[in-house]
Amino acid sequence: PDRPPSAPATDRAASALDFHRLFAHVVAAEGKQYGFSFLLHAARLEGGATADDLVAIFAQLMAQGGEDGEEAAAQGYTALEETTHDDKYVRSVAFHATKNFRPGTAFMNGIPLPTSDQ
């Protein structure tokens, strides 16, 4: 879908916060099953994904839930600017930094598994 005129320029690289904001909005609006679909679709994006790519996935899923495609895209761009769920994101990042988790850390029953470089 085309970006509405009032939307901010989003040809920039997608950030983890962009992903979190859209994911939280999908879960709040449509439920966890749609949130899981968002995760799967976003995971298929190649490196260098933009915020527009994430909004396109968001709009597609919201349209499947019965929203108008253009309205769903507008909601996606609005969600990129909302800070409603940022507290959870900030707490999550702080927790991972405190525990010294790195990308690729494996867990079993919520306990991080040792890796060969630890």
Side-chain angles (χ1 to χ4, degrees), residues 19-102:
F19 174 83
H20 174 78
R21 286 176 174 172
L22 291 170
F23 172 75
H25 191 85
V26 167
V27 170
E30 299 294 336
K32 292 179 182 177
Q33 185 173 0
Y34 279 84
F36 185 68
S37 291
F38 182 78
L39 291 174
L40 290 177
H41 285 83
R44 292 184 183 125
L45 292 174
E46 297 294 323
T50 66
D52 281 333
D53 296 331
L54 291 179
V55 169
I57 293 169
F58 173 88
Q60 178 185 13
L61 291 172
M62 296 296 283
Q64 288 175 4
E67 295 282 337
D68 174 67
E70 288 183 23
E71 177 62 28
Q75 285 180 19
Y77 288 108
T78 300
L80 288 178
E81 303 302 319
E82 289 178 357
T83 60
T84 306
H85 302 284
D86 286 0
D87 185 46
K88 289 180 184 178
Y89 176 78
V90 170
R91 285 194 324 244
S92 174
V93 169
F95 172 79
H96 286 84
T98 301
K99 297 291 185 178
N100 199 26
F101 294 151
R102 293 184 206 102

